[in-house]
PDB file of all heavy atoms in Angstrom:
ATOM      1  N   ASN A 223      56.182  48.325  55.094  1.00 95.00           N
ATOM      2  CA  ASN A 223      55.976  48.321  56.541  1.00 95.00           C
ATOM      3  C   ASN A 223      54.632  48.961  56.806  1.00 95.00           C
ATOM      4  O   ASN A 223      54.386  50.086  56.387  1.00 95.00           O
ATOM      5  CB  ASN A 223      57.037  49.143  57.283  1.00 95.00           C
ATOM      6  CG  ASN A 223      58.275  48.343  57.572  1.00 95.00           C
ATOM      7  OD1 ASN A 223      59.213  48.388  56.778  1.00 95.00           O
ATOM      8  ND2 ASN A 223      58.270  47.613  58.669  1.00 95.00           N
ATOM      9  N   LEU A 224      53.807  48.240  57.515  1.00 95.00           N
ATOM     10  CA  LEU A 224      52.497  48.764  57.889  1.00 95.00           C
ATOM     11  C   LEU A 224      52.605  49.585  59.151  1.00 95.00           C
ATOM     12  O   LEU A 224      53.407  49.275  60.018  1.00 95.00           O
ATOM     13  CB  LEU A 224      51.530  47.604  58.117  1.00 95.00           C
ATOM     14  CG  LEU A 224      51.305  46.693  56.917  1.00 95.00           C
ATOM     15  CD1 LEU A 224      50.582  45.406  57.356  1.00 95.00           C
ATOM     16  CD2 LEU A 224      50.499  47.395  55.853  1.00 95.00           C
ATOM     17  N   PRO A 225      51.765  50.600  59.301  1.00 95.00           N
ATOM     18  CA  PRO A 225      51.748  51.343  60.556  1.00 95.00           C
ATOM     19  C   PRO A 225      51.138  50.449  61.668  1.00 95.00           C
ATOM     20  O   PRO A 225      50.455  49.458  61.352  1.00 95.00           O
ATOM     21  CB  PRO A 225      50.865  52.548  60.268  1.00 95.00           C
ATOM     22  CG  PRO A 225      50.005  52.132  59.122  1.00 95.00           C
ATOM     23  CD  PRO A 225      50.822  51.147  58.313  1.00 95.00           C
ATOM     24  N   GLU A 226      51.367  50.804  62.889  1.00 92.00           N
ATOM     25  CA  GLU A 226      50.923  49.973  64.028  1.00 92.00           C
ATOM     26  C   GLU A 226      49.417  49.634  63.990  1.00 92.00           C
ATOM     27  O   GLU A 226      49.033  48.542  64.373  1.00 92.00           O
ATOM     28  CB  GLU A 226      51.227  50.708  65.350  1.00 92.00           C
ATOM     29  CG  GLU A 226      52.715  50.734  65.693  1.00 92.00           C
ATOM     30  CD  GLU A 226      53.309  49.362  65.954  1.00 92.00           C
ATOM     31  OE1 GLU A 226      52.618  48.467  66.471  1.00 92.00           O
ATOM     32  OE2 GLU A 226      54.500  49.187  65.627  1.00 92.00           O
ATOM     33  N   LYS A 227      48.565  50.533  63.553  1.00 92.00           N
ATOM     34  CA  LYS A 227      47.132  50.312  63.615  1.00 92.00           C
ATOM     35  C   LYS A 227      46.523  49.736  62.342  1.00 92.00           C
ATOM     36  O   LYS A 227      45.298  49.732  62.199  1.00 92.00           O
ATOM     37  CB  LYS A 227      46.416  51.616  63.975  1.00 92.00           C
ATOM     38  CG  LYS A 227      46.786  52.103  65.360  1.00 92.00           C
ATOM     39  CD  LYS A 227      46.071  53.379  65.699  1.00 92.00           C
ATOM     40  CE  LYS A 227      46.479  53.815  67.100  1.00 92.00           C
ATOM     41  NZ  LYS A 227      45.799  55.059  67.496  1.00 92.00           N
ATOM     42  N   LEU A 228      47.350  49.211  61.438  1.00 93.00           N
ATOM     43  CA  LEU A 228      46.839  48.735  60.159  1.00 93.00           C
ATOM     44  C   LEU A 228      47.447  47.387  59.840  1.00 93.00           C
ATOM     45  O   LEU A 228      48.668  47.268  59.696  1.00 93.00           O
ATOM     46  CB  LEU A 228      47.167  49.748  59.049  1.00 93.00           C
ATOM     47  CG  LEU A 228      46.643  49.413  57.660  1.00 93.00           C
ATOM     48  CD1 LEU A 228      45.114  49.557  57.636  1.00 93.00           C
ATOM     49  CD2 LEU A 228      47.251  50.375  56.649  1.00 93.00           C
ATOM     50  N   ASP A 229      46.604  46.351  59.718  1.00 92.00           N
ATOM     51  CA  ASP A 229      47.121  45.056  59.271  1.00 92.00           C
ATOM     52  C   ASP A 229      46.998  44.978  57.751  1.00 92.00           C
ATOM     53  O   ASP A 229      46.353  45.792  57.104  1.00 92.00           O
ATOM     54  CB  ASP A 229      46.460  43.900  60.012  1.00 92.00           C
ATOM     55  CG  ASP A 229      44.994  43.713  59.694  1.00 92.00           C
ATOM     56  OD1 ASP A 229      44.550  44.056  58.563  1.00 92.00           O
ATOM     57  OD2 ASP A 229      44.261  43.232  60.571  1.00 92.00           O
ATOM     58  N   GLN A 230      47.597  43.945  57.185  1.00 93.00           N
ATOM     59  CA  GLN A 230      47.632  43.866  55.704  1.00 93.00           C
ATOM     60  C   GLN A 230      46.241  43.589  55.102  1.00 93.00           C
ATOM     61  O   GLN A 230      45.962  44.035  53.997  1.00 93.00           O
ATOM     62  CB  GLN A 230      48.649  42.853  55.231  1.00 93.00           C
ATOM     63  CG  GLN A 230      48.403  41.416  55.643  1.00 93.00           C
ATOM     64  CD  GLN A 230      49.500  40.489  55.152  1.00 93.00           C
ATOM     65  OE1 GLN A 230      50.127  40.738  54.125  1.00 93.00           O
ATOM     66  NE2 GLN A 230      49.746  39.434  55.895  1.00 93.00           N
ATOM     67  N   ARG A 231      45.352  42.933  55.812  1.00 93.00           N
ATOM     68  CA  ARG A 231      43.996  42.728  55.295  1.00 93.00           C
ATOM     69  C   ARG A 231      43.279  44.074  55.168  1.00 93.00           C
ATOM     70  O   ARG A 231      42.608  44.332  54.183  1.00 93.00           O
ATOM     71  CB  ARG A 231      43.219  41.793  56.188  1.00 93.00           C
ATOM     72  CG  ARG A 231      43.668  40.366  56.023  1.00 93.00           C
ATOM     73  CD  ARG A 231      42.776  39.425  56.783  1.00 93.00           C
ATOM     74  NE  ARG A 231      43.197  38.068  56.526  1.00 93.00           N
ATOM     75  CZ  ARG A 231      43.172  37.108  57.411  1.00 93.00           C
ATOM     76  NH1 ARG A 231      42.708  37.318  58.622  1.00 93.00           N
ATOM     77  NH2 ARG A 231      43.573  35.893  57.074  1.00 93.00           N
ATOM     78  N   LYS A 232      43.421  44.935  56.171  1.00 94.00           N
ATOM     79  CA  LYS A 232      42.771  46.260  56.090  1.00 94.00           C
ATOM     80  C   LYS A 232      43.427  47.093  55.004  1.00 94.00           C
ATOM     81  O   LYS A 232      42.735  47.828  54.288  1.00 94.00           O
ATOM     82  CB  LYS A 232      42.852  46.962  57.436  1.00 94.00           C
ATOM     83  CG  LYS A 232      41.922  46.367  58.462  1.00 94.00           C
ATOM     84  CD  LYS A 232      42.051  47.098  59.779  1.00 94.00           C
ATOM     85  CE  LYS A 232      41.193  46.423  60.843  1.00 94.00           C
ATOM     86  NZ  LYS A 232      41.424  46.996  62.179  1.00 94.00           N
ATOM     87  N   PHE A 233      44.754  47.009  54.877  1.00 95.00           N
ATOM     88  CA  PHE A 233      45.438  47.748  53.813  1.00 95.00           C
ATOM     89  C   PHE A 233      44.882  47.350  52.462  1.00 95.00           C
ATOM     90  O   PHE A 233      44.481  48.192  51.657  1.00 95.00           O
ATOM     91  CB  PHE A 233      46.951  47.513  53.850  1.00 95.00           C
ATOM     92  CG  PHE A 233      47.693  48.202  52.744  1.00 95.00           C
ATOM     93  CD1 PHE A 233      48.154  49.490  52.917  1.00 95.00           C
ATOM     94  CD2 PHE A 233      47.930  47.574  51.548  1.00 95.00           C
ATOM     95  CE1 PHE A 233      48.809  50.177  51.895  1.00 95.00           C
ATOM     96  CE2 PHE A 233      48.594  48.232  50.511  1.00 95.00           C
ATOM     97  CZ  PHE A 233      49.049  49.536  50.693  1.00 95.00           C
ATOM     98  N   MET A 234      44.788  46.026  52.224  1.00 96.00           N
ATOM     99  CA  MET A 234      44.302  45.550  50.930  1.00 96.00           C
ATOM    100  C   MET A 234      42.808  45.806  50.747  1.00 96.00           C
ATOM    101  O   MET A 234      42.373  46.025  49.627  1.00 96.00           O
ATOM    102  CB  MET A 234      44.623  44.071  50.761  1.00 96.00           C
ATOM    103  CG  MET A 234      46.124  43.783  50.628  1.00 96.00           C
ATOM    104  SD  MET A 234      46.901  44.693  49.282  1.00 96.00           S
ATOM    105  CE  MET A 234      46.264  43.790  47.848  1.00 96.00           C
ATOM    106  N   ALA A 235      42.058  45.829  51.833  1.00 94.00           N
ATOM    107  CA  ALA A 235      40.629  46.132  51.728  1.00 94.00           C
ATOM    108  C   ALA A 235      40.389  47.565  51.264  1.00 94.00           C
ATOM    109  O   ALA A 235      39.369  47.857  50.642  1.00 94.00           O
ATOM    110  CB  ALA A 235      39.940  45.910  53.093  1.00 94.00           C
ATOM    111  N   GLY A 236      41.300  48.448  51.514  1.00 95.00           N
ATOM    112  CA  GLY A 236      41.235  49.805  50.979  1.00 95.00           C
ATOM    113  C   GLY A 236      41.894  49.922  49.630  1.00 95.00           C
ATOM    114  O   GLY A 236      41.393  50.606  48.727  1.00 95.00           O
ATOM    115  N   PHE A 237      43.010  49.253  49.455  1.00 96.00           N
ATOM    116  CA  PHE A 237      43.780  49.352  48.227  1.00 96.00           C
ATOM    117  C   PHE A 237      42.990  48.808  47.007  1.00 96.00           C
ATOM    118  O   PHE A 237      42.959  49.438  45.959  1.00 96.00           O
ATOM    119  CB  PHE A 237      45.119  48.584  48.377  1.00 96.00           C
ATOM    120  CG  PHE A 237      45.890  48.519  47.104  1.00 96.00           C
ATOM    121  CD1 PHE A 237      46.701  49.581  46.735  1.00 96.00           C
ATOM    122  CD2 PHE A 237      45.828  47.390  46.298  1.00 96.00           C
ATOM    123  CE1 PHE A 237      47.428  49.538  45.552  1.00 96.00           C
ATOM    124  CE2 PHE A 237      46.560  47.350  45.108  1.00 96.00           C
ATOM    125  CZ  PHE A 237      47.361  48.423  44.746  1.00 96.00           C
ATOM    126  N   LYS A 238      42.411  47.648  47.157  1.00 95.00           N
ATOM    127  CA  LYS A 238      41.765  47.021  46.007  1.00 95.00           C
ATOM    128  C   LYS A 238      40.632  47.851  45.427  1.00 95.00           C
ATOM    129  O   LYS A 238      40.621  48.104  44.205  1.00 95.00           O
ATOM    130  CB  LYS A 238      41.283  45.611  46.359  1.00 95.00           C
ATOM    131  CG  LYS A 238      42.403  44.602  46.398  1.00 95.00           C
ATOM    132  CD  LYS A 238      41.845  43.243  46.677  1.00 95.00           C
ATOM    133  CE  LYS A 238      42.866  42.151  46.537  1.00 95.00           C
ATOM    134  NZ  LYS A 238      42.284  40.820  46.756  1.00 95.00           N
ATOM    135  N   PRO A 239      39.658  48.338  46.210  1.00 94.00           N
ATOM    136  CA  PRO A 239      38.603  49.129  45.579  1.00 94.00           C
ATOM    137  C   PRO A 239      39.098  50.455  45.041  1.00 94.00           C
ATOM    138  O   PRO A 239      38.639  50.919  43.974  1.00 94.00           O
ATOM    139  CB  PRO A 239      37.578  49.327  46.695  1.00 94.00           C
ATOM    140  CG  PRO A 239      38.240  48.969  47.953  1.00 94.00           C
ATOM    141  CD  PRO A 239      39.374  48.057  47.624  1.00 94.00           C
ATOM    142  N   ARG A 240      40.041  51.102  45.717  1.00 95.00           N
ATOM    143  CA  ARG A 240      40.555  52.382  45.214  1.00 95.00           C
ATOM    144  C   ARG A 240      41.328  52.178  43.909  1.00 95.00           C
ATOM    145  O   ARG A 240      41.213  52.981  42.981  1.00 95.00           O
ATOM    146  CB  ARG A 240      41.417  53.065  46.274  1.00 95.00           C
ATOM    147  CG  ARG A 240      40.585  53.783  47.305  1.00 95.00           C
ATOM    148  CD  ARG A 240      41.442  54.635  48.235  1.00 95.00           C
ATOM    149  NE  ARG A 240      41.727  54.038  49.516  1.00 95.00           N
ATOM    150  CZ  ARG A 240      40.868  53.871  50.503  1.00 95.00           C
ATOM    151  NH1 ARG A 240      39.608  54.251  50.341  1.00 95.00           N
ATOM    152  NH2 ARG A 240      41.211  53.337  51.622  1.00 95.00           N
ATOM    153  N   SER A 241      42.139  51.152  43.851  1.00 96.00           N
ATOM    154  CA  SER A 241      42.910  50.915  42.626  1.00 96.00           C
ATOM    155  C   SER A 241      42.002  50.508  41.471  1.00 96.00           C
ATOM    156  O   SER A 241      42.171  50.985  40.348  1.00 96.00           O
ATOM    157  CB  SER A 241      44.022  49.872  42.863  1.00 96.00           C
ATOM    158  OG  SER A 241      43.475  48.628  43.253  1.00 96.00           O
ATOM    159  N   SER A 242      41.043  49.637  41.729  1.00 94.00           N
ATOM    160  CA  SER A 242      40.170  49.228  40.618  1.00 94.00           C
ATOM    161  C   SER A 242      39.324  50.401  40.138  1.00 94.00           C
ATOM    162  O   SER A 242      39.095  50.528  38.930  1.00 94.00           O
ATOM    163  CB  SER A 242      39.302  48.021  41.028  1.00 94.00           C
ATOM    164  OG  SER A 242      38.425  48.343  42.063  1.00 94.00           O
ATOM    165  N   ALA A 243      38.873  51.265  41.044  1.00 94.00           N
ATOM    166  CA  ALA A 243      38.119  52.440  40.618  1.00 94.00           C
ATOM    167  C   ALA A 243      38.956  53.359  39.736  1.00 94.00           C
ATOM    168  O   ALA A 243      38.441  53.990  38.809  1.00 94.00           O
ATOM    169  CB  ALA A 243      37.603  53.210  41.841  1.00 94.00           C
ATOM    170  N   ARG A 244      40.236  53.428  40.007  1.00 96.00           N
ATOM    171  CA  ARG A 244      41.147  54.266  39.223  1.00 96.00           C
ATOM    172  C   ARG A 244      41.496  53.625  37.887  1.00 96.00           C
ATOM    173  O   ARG A 244      41.638  54.307  36.873  1.00 96.00           O
ATOM    174  CB  ARG A 244      42.415  54.545  40.029  1.00 96.00           C
ATOM    175  CG  ARG A 244      43.500  55.285  39.312  1.00 96.00           C
ATOM    176  CD  ARG A 244      43.373  56.798  39.487  1.00 96.00           C
ATOM    177  NE  ARG A 244      44.367  57.494  38.743  1.00 96.00           N
ATOM    178  CZ  ARG A 244      45.579  57.810  39.198  1.00 96.00           C
ATOM    179  NH1 ARG A 244      45.935  57.515  40.432  1.00 96.00           N
ATOM    180  NH2 ARG A 244      46.428  58.464  38.425  1.00 96.00           N
ATOM    181  N   ILE A 245      41.612  52.306  37.866  1.00 95.00           N
ATOM    182  CA  ILE A 245      42.073  51.601  36.656  1.00 95.00           C
ATOM    183  C   ILE A 245      40.934  51.325  35.674  1.00 95.00           C
ATOM    184  O   ILE A 245      41.117  51.454  34.460  1.00 95.00           O
ATOM    185  CB  ILE A 245      42.765  50.262  37.041  1.00 95.00           C
ATOM    186  CG1 ILE A 245      43.929  50.477  38.020  1.00 95.00           C
ATOM    187  CG2 ILE A 245      43.216  49.494  35.801  1.00 95.00           C
ATOM    188  CD1 ILE A 245      45.005  51.394  37.563  1.00 95.00           C
ATOM    189  N   LYS A 246      39.788  50.917  36.156  1.00 92.00           N
ATOM    190  CA  LYS A 246      38.706  50.506  35.258  1.00 92.00           C
ATOM    191  C   LYS A 246      38.386  51.525  34.168  1.00 92.00           C
ATOM    192  O   LYS A 246      38.201  51.131  33.019  1.00 92.00           O
ATOM    193  CB  LYS A 246      37.444  50.181  36.072  1.00 92.00           C
ATOM    194  CG  LYS A 246      37.499  48.839  36.748  1.00 92.00           C
ATOM    195  CD  LYS A 246      36.192  48.635  37.493  1.00 92.00           C
ATOM    196  CE  LYS A 246      36.125  47.346  38.205  1.00 92.00           C
ATOM    197  NZ  LYS A 246      34.855  47.173  38.919  1.00 92.00           N
ATOM    198  N   PRO A 247      38.302  52.818  34.478  1.00 94.00           N
ATOM    199  CA  PRO A 247      38.011  53.776  33.399  1.00 94.00           C
ATOM    200  C   PRO A 247      39.092  53.845  32.323  1.00 94.00           C
ATOM    201  O   PRO A 247      38.846  54.361  31.234  1.00 94.00           O
ATOM    202  CB  PRO A 247      37.881  55.109  34.127  1.00 94.00           C
ATOM    203  CG  PRO A 247      37.598  54.770  35.539  1.00 94.00           C
ATOM    204  CD  PRO A 247      38.306  53.469  35.791  1.00 94.00           C
ATOM    205  N   LEU A 248      40.294  53.370  32.623  1.00 95.00           N
ATOM    206  CA  LEU A 248      41.407  53.424  31.673  1.00 95.00           C
ATOM    207  C   LEU A 248      41.443  52.213  30.735  1.00 95.00           C
ATOM    208  O   LEU A 248      42.222  52.211  29.791  1.00 95.00           O
ATOM    209  CB  LEU A 248      42.734  53.515  32.429  1.00 95.00           C
ATOM    210  CG  LEU A 248      42.866  54.683  33.428  1.00 95.00           C
ATOM    211  CD1 LEU A 248      44.194  54.572  34.154  1.00 95.00           C
ATOM    212  CD2 LEU A 248      42.743  55.996  32.708  1.00 95.00           C
ATOM    213  N   LEU A 249      40.638  51.210  31.025  1.00 92.00           N
ATOM    214  CA  LEU A 249      40.680  49.983  30.225  1.00 92.00           C
ATOM    215  C   LEU A 249      40.045  50.185  28.871  1.00 92.00           C
ATOM    216  O   LEU A 249      39.054  50.899  28.736  1.00 92.00           O
ATOM    217  CB  LEU A 249      39.964  48.851  30.960  1.00 92.00           C
ATOM    218  CG  LEU A 249      40.574  48.439  32.310  1.00 92.00           C
ATOM    219  CD1 LEU A 249      39.710  47.340  32.938  1.00 92.00           C
ATOM    220  CD2 LEU A 249      42.003  47.984  32.162  1.00 92.00           C
ATOM    221  N   THR A 250      40.611  49.520  27.871  1.00 92.00           N
ATOM    222  CA  THR A 250      40.016  49.512  26.539  1.00 92.00           C
ATOM    223  C   THR A 250      38.785  48.612  26.551  1.00 92.00           C
ATOM    224  O   THR A 250      38.586  47.843  27.484  1.00 92.00           O
ATOM    225  CB  THR A 250      41.023  48.985  25.486  1.00 92.00           C
ATOM    226  OG1 THR A 250      41.286  47.620  25.783  1.00 92.00           O
ATOM    227  CG2 THR A 250      42.313  49.798  25.506  1.00 92.00           C
ATOM    228  N   GLN A 251      37.992  48.692  25.513  1.00 90.00           N
ATOM    229  CA  GLN A 251      36.815  47.839  25.415  1.00 90.00           C
ATOM    230  C   GLN A 251      37.236  46.362  25.433  1.00 90.00           C
ATOM    231  O   GLN A 251      36.596  45.544  26.106  1.00 90.00           O
ATOM    232  CB  GLN A 251      35.987  48.136  24.172  1.00 90.00           C
ATOM    233  CG  GLN A 251      34.673  47.380  24.125  1.00 90.00           C
ATOM    234  CD  GLN A 251      33.775  47.697  25.301  1.00 90.00           C
ATOM    235  OE1 GLN A 251      33.530  48.858  25.615  1.00 90.00           O
ATOM    236  NE2 GLN A 251      33.292  46.662  25.983  1.00 90.00           N
ATOM    237  N   ASP A 252      38.294  45.999  24.710  1.00 89.00           N
ATOM    238  CA  ASP A 252      38.770  44.615  24.706  1.00 89.00           C
ATOM    239  C   ASP A 252      39.171  44.165  26.118  1.00 89.00           C
ATOM    240  O   ASP A 252      38.899  43.048  26.515  1.00 89.00           O
ATOM    241  CB  ASP A 252      39.946  44.440  23.767  1.00 89.00           C
ATOM    242  CG  ASP A 252      39.529  44.490  22.295  1.00 89.00           C
ATOM    243  OD1 ASP A 252      38.314  44.314  22.014  1.00 89.00           O
ATOM    244  OD2 ASP A 252      40.407  44.696  21.441  1.00 89.00           O
ATOM    245  N   GLU A 253      39.829  45.063  26.855  1.00 88.00           N
ATOM    246  CA  GLU A 253      40.226  44.716  28.227  1.00 88.00           C
ATOM    247  C   GLU A 253      38.999  44.559  29.115  1.00 88.00           C
ATOM    248  O   GLU A 253      38.914  43.616  29.920  1.00 88.00           O
ATOM    249  CB  GLU A 253      41.176  45.771  28.782  1.00 88.00           C
ATOM    250  CG  GLU A 253      42.544  45.763  28.099  1.00 88.00           C
ATOM    251  CD  GLU A 253      43.356  47.000  28.334  1.00 88.00           C
ATOM    252  OE1 GLU A 253      42.805  48.057  28.705  1.00 88.00           O
ATOM    253  OE2 GLU A 253      44.593  46.926  28.115  1.00 88.00           O
ATOM    254  N   ARG A 254      38.012  45.416  28.969  1.00 85.00           N
ATOM    255  CA  ARG A 254      36.782  45.293  29.742  1.00 85.00           C
ATOM    256  C   ARG A 254      36.064  44.003  29.391  1.00 85.00           C
ATOM    257  O   ARG A 254      35.505  43.313  30.249  1.00 85.00           O
ATOM    258  CB  ARG A 254      35.856  46.495  29.534  1.00 85.00           C
ATOM    259  CG  ARG A 254      36.348  47.742  30.257  1.00 85.00           C
ATOM    260  CD  ARG A 254      35.305  48.842  30.306  1.00 85.00           C
ATOM    261  NE  ARG A 254      34.969  49.388  28.982  1.00 85.00           N
ATOM    262  CZ  ARG A 254      35.675  50.346  28.368  1.00 85.00           C
ATOM    263  NH1 ARG A 254      36.723  50.896  28.948  1.00 85.00           N
ATOM    264  NH2 ARG A 254      35.315  50.755  27.180  1.00 85.00           N
ATOM    265  N   ASP A 255      36.063  43.645  28.114  1.00 84.00           N
ATOM    266  CA  ASP A 255      35.403  42.418  27.677  1.00 84.00           C
ATOM    267  C   ASP A 255      36.070  41.195  28.291  1.00 84.00           C
ATOM    268  O   ASP A 255      35.401  40.196  28.580  1.00 84.00           O
ATOM    269  CB  ASP A 255      35.435  42.288  26.137  1.00 84.00           C
ATOM    270  CG  ASP A 255      34.513  43.278  25.461  1.00 84.00           C
ATOM    271  OD1 ASP A 255      33.663  43.897  26.141  1.00 84.00           O
ATOM    272  OD2 ASP A 255      34.672  43.459  24.224  1.00 84.00           O
ATOM    273  N   ALA A 256      37.383  41.258  28.499  1.00 84.00           N
ATOM    274  CA  ALA A 256      38.085  40.125  29.130  1.00 84.00           C
ATOM    275  C   ALA A 256      37.596  39.885  30.553  1.00 84.00           C
ATOM    276  O   ALA A 256      37.647  38.751  31.042  1.00 84.00           O
ATOM    277  CB  ALA A 256      39.589  40.377  29.109  1.00 84.00           C
ATOM    278  N   PHE A 257      37.131  40.923  31.207  1.00 77.00           N
ATOM    279  CA  PHE A 257      36.582  40.796  32.560  1.00 77.00           C
ATOM    280  C   PHE A 257      35.135  40.329  32.558  1.00 77.00           C
ATOM    281  O   PHE A 257      34.655  39.781  33.539  1.00 77.00           O
ATOM    282  CB  PHE A 257      36.644  42.152  33.298  1.00 77.00           C
ATOM    283  CG  PHE A 257      37.993  42.467  33.842  1.00 77.00           C
ATOM    284  CD1 PHE A 257      38.837  43.334  33.147  1.00 77.00           C
ATOM    285  CD2 PHE A 257      38.414  41.969  35.049  1.00 77.00           C
ATOM    286  CE1 PHE A 257      40.053  43.665  33.650  1.00 77.00           C
ATOM    287  CE2 PHE A 257      39.666  42.275  35.556  1.00 77.00           C
ATOM    288  CZ  PHE A 257      40.497  43.136  34.859  1.00 77.00           C
ATOM    289  N   SER A 258      34.402  40.577  31.459  1.00 71.00           N
ATOM    290  CA  SER A 258      32.960  40.392  31.500  1.00 71.00           C
ATOM    291  C   SER A 258      32.551  38.959  31.834  1.00 71.00           C
ATOM    292  O   SER A 258      31.519  38.759  32.455  1.00 71.00           O
ATOM    293  CB  SER A 258      32.332  40.813  30.173  1.00 71.00           C
ATOM    294  OG  SER A 258      32.769  39.975  29.131  1.00 71.00           O
ATOM    295  N   GLU A 259      33.351  37.983  31.450  1.00 65.00           N
ATOM    296  CA  GLU A 259      33.012  36.579  31.783  1.00 65.00           C
ATOM    297  C   GLU A 259      33.138  36.321  33.263  1.00 65.00           C
ATOM    298  O   GLU A 259      32.519  35.395  33.792  1.00 65.00           O
ATOM    299  CB  GLU A 259      33.898  35.624  30.977  1.00 65.00           C
ATOM    300  CG  GLU A 259      33.679  35.691  29.513  1.00 65.00           C
ATOM    301  CD  GLU A 259      34.605  34.779  28.743  1.00 65.00           C
ATOM    302  OE1 GLU A 259      35.182  33.864  29.363  1.00 65.00           O
ATOM    303  OE2 GLU A 259      34.753  34.968  27.540  1.00 65.00           O
ATOM    304  N   GLN A 260      33.971  37.091  33.954  1.00 59.00           N
ATOM    305  CA  GLN A 260      34.250  36.842  35.369  1.00 59.00           C
ATOM    306  C   GLN A 260      33.492  37.769  36.293  1.00 59.00           C
ATOM    307  O   GLN A 260      33.337  37.488  37.473  1.00 59.00           O
ATOM    308  CB  GLN A 260      35.755  37.000  35.644  1.00 59.00           C
ATOM    309  CG  GLN A 260      36.587  35.996  34.896  1.00 59.00           C
ATOM    310  CD  GLN A 260      36.268  34.568  35.307  1.00 59.00           C
ATOM    311  OE1 GLN A 260      36.094  34.289  36.471  1.00 59.00           O
ATOM    312  NE2 GLN A 260      36.160  33.688  34.344  1.00 59.00           N
ATOM    313  N   THR A 261      33.040  38.903  35.774  1.00 57.00           N
ATOM    314  CA  THR A 261      32.402  39.894  36.647  1.00 57.00           C
ATOM    315  C   THR A 261      31.222  39.266  37.377  1.00 57.00           C
ATOM    316  O   THR A 261      30.389  38.602  36.786  1.00 57.00           O
ATOM    317  CB  THR A 261      31.914  41.094  35.795  1.00 57.00           C
ATOM    318  OG1 THR A 261      33.064  41.693  35.208  1.00 57.00           O
ATOM    319  CG2 THR A 261      31.185  42.105  36.651  1.00 57.00           C
ATOM    320  N   GLY A 262      31.192  39.500  38.666  1.00 54.00           N
ATOM    321  CA  GLY A 262      30.099  38.991  39.476  1.00 54.00           C
ATOM    322  C   GLY A 262      30.432  37.741  40.248  1.00 54.00           C
ATOM    323  O   GLY A 262      29.828  37.471  41.273  1.00 54.00           O
TER     324      GLY A 262
END
C-alpha cells in the first residue's frame, strides 16, 4: 500500500537506484561481467 503522496512510479524511481547501489558492490566478477554487455 502506497502512502497518499506517493505513486508507484515515484516509489520505483527511488527503489531502483537505492537497491542497485546496495547490490552492485556484492556482485562477483562473473555477475558483473554478465551485466557488461548491457550496461549503458
Side-chain angles (χ1 to χ4, degrees):
N223 274 94
L224 300 167
E226 289 294 328
K227 296 181 180 180
L228 183 69
D229 66 30
Q230 63 182 330
R231 286 186 177 145
K232 287 180 184 172
F233 178 89
M234 292 304 286
F237 174 82
K238 283 183 172 183
R240 279 189 260 288
S241 61
S242 62
R244 175 90 183 270
I245 304 303
K246 283 180 180 180
L248 304 176
L249 298 177
T250 66
Q251 187 60 50
D252 287 342
E253 291 163 341
R254 285 192 296 275
D255 289 347
F257 281 99
S258 65
E259 294 177 18
Q260 298 298 318
T261 298

